[in-house]
Amino acid sequence: MALLVDGEINSLDDLREWDSGILETADGERIDLNAKMRRAQAEVEEEIEGFLRDQERGAVEQVVIDRGLRHWHALKTLEATYRDAYFNQLNDRYGEKWKLYRGLAEQQATRYFSAGVAIVLQPLRRPAALEITVGEGELPPATYRFQATAVDGQGRESAPCGVQVTSSPVPHSLTVKVSYLPEGATGWNLYAAYADGTVALQNEEPLGAAEAWNVPAGGLRSGRPPGEGQAPDEVIRAGGSILLRG
């Protein structure tokens, strides 16, 4: 599972699964859905941080994104979007949706905390970005998609960073490295694909922090896709916690 602090709890497509008209509403009312998702995440983080403080256990940097948290964040985003749409137009239809999603978000928050906040004991953030350099070479023209994960000394792997796309219309060489590794990481894995293919692991062993990876003359290799990140070690509930792994 990805860490909460890694961001991107939900995508625009995820919101559309909840409300098929949300993209059209946001566009028509000139509402920035990405900004609303960031605002909803900030509010979710604040409530989780307060809960963990009350339990005197865990920190928001350790929280992983599970299904309950995704649901809560989606509902909070929809609530904020329709609230803005309502006050833009004082449209009763938007007002009813705002109240609906506000109630659903409150209910989901209660369910989420009742189920417990899932955390990892040794959080490993995903890499922030990749540095991709295209130079002269003999590789055929191609479009590439890249993702990377961070790896620690115990073999734990982070969630993958966002997809970065690079193209070269002429023969070329291509080098990839991470801008920097997060705290606790000792290496990184690179995942790549051509065009719209599924990204697959390209290195046999984790690459070093300062190590670069080059597209080989034979092209990209087949491998496993990236995972979703770290599995939770513990679930914190009001009055106690459950250790999932010893």
Side-chain angles (χ1 to χ4, degrees), residues 38-56:
R38 291 193 296 271
R39 183 65 252 164
Q41 175 163 345
E43 293 178 8
V44 163
E45 287 183 8
E46 185 176 0
E47 291 196 45
I48 292 175
E49 194 168 25
F51 173 82
L52 296 177
R53 190 184 307 114
D54 290 343
Q55 304 309 310
E56 299 182 344

Side-chain angles (χ1 to χ4, degrees), residues 147-182:
Q147 285 184 284
T149 59
V151 181
D152 69 11
Q154 285 69 51
R156 289 181 286 253
E157 187 176 23
S158 74
C161 68
V163 175
Q164 292 182 229
V165 179
T166 299
S167 297
S168 177
V170 298
H172 61 282
S173 63
L174 191 147
T175 301
V176 183
K177 62 180 181 179
V178 289
S179 301
Y180 63 89
L181 285 178

Side-chain angles (χ1 to χ4, degrees), residues 109-126:
T110 299
R111 285 194 291 266
Y112 173 71
F113 286 117
S114 295
V117 177
I119 67 168
V120 292
L121 301 180
Q122 301 293 328
L124 188 62
R125 297 194 66 167
R126 65 182 185 178

Side-chain angles (χ1 to χ4, degrees), residues 1 36 125 185:
M1 298 178 181
K36 293 304 175 189
R125 297 194 66 167

Side-chain angles (χ1 to χ4, degrees), residues 160-234:
C161 68
V163 175
Q164 292 182 229
V165 179
T166 299
S167 297
S168 177
V170 298
H172 61 282
S173 63
L174 191 147
T175 301
V176 183
K177 62 180 181 179
V178 289
S179 301
Y180 63 89
L181 285 178
E183 181 179 356
T186 58
W188 61 289
N189 286 330
L190 180 72
Y191 297 83
Y194 293 113
D196 295 327
T198 301
V199 294
L201 182 64
Q202 298 300 304
N203 49 289
E204 294 184 3
E205 298 293 335
L207 300 161
E211 188 176 355
W213 177 87
N214 298 286
V215 177
L220 302 181
R221 58 184 291 183
S222 299
R224 66 171 176 86
E228 296 182 349
Q230 297 171 264
D233 297 304
E234 188 173 346

